[in-house]
């Protein structure tokens, strides 16, 4: 190959292009700091959907319902037992380290407007 330097140069250029494409694909696959997503949950009831979105999907929730909801308790009693085992085990191990984790995450990601709907 020493007698054909243009072949060596071409091979080097192809490797550089391949490395550039690999780096670009890696950058695209790496999660960047996204803006937090927000959901408005109207007539959210006990807050099962809100609890799952807030804890499992890191989404900020504003729930509007006439009755106040204890979403942390709803998560522990209704949502957590129905999660896939892998998620359930991960959350339970985090709760062993920090028993207030669910409450703290709800304080950060969940808020509620208690309002009656008067259609008259």
């Amino acid at each position: 190959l020493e007698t054909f330097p243009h072949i060596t140069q071409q091979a080097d250029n192809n490797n550089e292009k391949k490395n550039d494409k690999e780096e670009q694909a890696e950058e695209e696959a790496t999660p960047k700091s996204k803006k937090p997503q927000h959901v408005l949950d109207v007539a959210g009831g006990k807050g099962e959907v809100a609890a799952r979105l807030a804890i499992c999907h890191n989404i900020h929730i504003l729930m509007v319902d006439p009755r106040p909801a204890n979403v942390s308790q709803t998560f522990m009693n209704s949502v957590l037992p129905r999660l896939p085992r892998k998620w359930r085990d991960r959350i339970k191990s985090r709760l062993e380290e920090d028993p207030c984790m669910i409450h703290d995450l709800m304080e950060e990601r969940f808020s509620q407007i208690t309002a009656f709907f008067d259609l008259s």
Side-chain angles (χ1 to χ4, degrees):
L1 290 176
E2 292 176 16
T3 56
F4 303 104
H6 67 282
I7 293 175
T8 305
Q9 181 63 37
Q10 187 177 10
D12 289 342
N13 289 342
N14 287 340
N15 285 337
E16 287 176 18
K17 289 179 185 176
K18 183 179 177 183
N19 290 339
D20 289 343
K21 287 181 181 179
E22 288 174 357
E23 287 176 14
Q24 183 180 4
E26 188 177 309
E27 286 176 10
E28 290 173 2
T30 305
K32 297 178 180 165
S33 60
K34 294 184 199 175
K35 288 183 178 178
Q37 294 179 318
H38 295 80
V39 169
L40 174 62
D41 186 2
V42 178
K46 292 189 297 182
E48 291 179 1
V49 171
R52 182 156 186 168
L53 290 174
I55 299 298
C56 299
H57 300 284
N58 193 17
I59 295 175
H60 294 254
I61 308 294
L62 173 60
M63 188 170 91
V64 181
D65 196 272
R67 296 168 306 277
N70 185 340
V71 184
S72 297
Q73 182 179 345
T74 298
F75 181 82
M76 295 302 294
N77 296 336
S78 300
V79 178
L80 185 60
R82 291 185 289 184
L83 290 176
R85 173 165 279 145
K86 180 179 177 180
W87 286 27
R88 211 174 34 235
D89 292 345
R90 188 178 305 149
I91 291 171
K92 285 181 180 179
S93 70
R94 287 182 63 194
L95 282 169
E96 288 174 4
E97 296 171 14
D98 180 9
C100 297
M101 177 195 78
I102 299 297
H103 175 75
D104 293 344
L105 289 174
M106 286 300 175
E107 286 286 317
E108 176 187 329
R109 300 177 188 164
F110 176 81
S111 57
Q112 180 176 2
I113 298 173
T114 306
F116 291 94
F117 305 102
D118 186 12
L119 301 176
S120 55

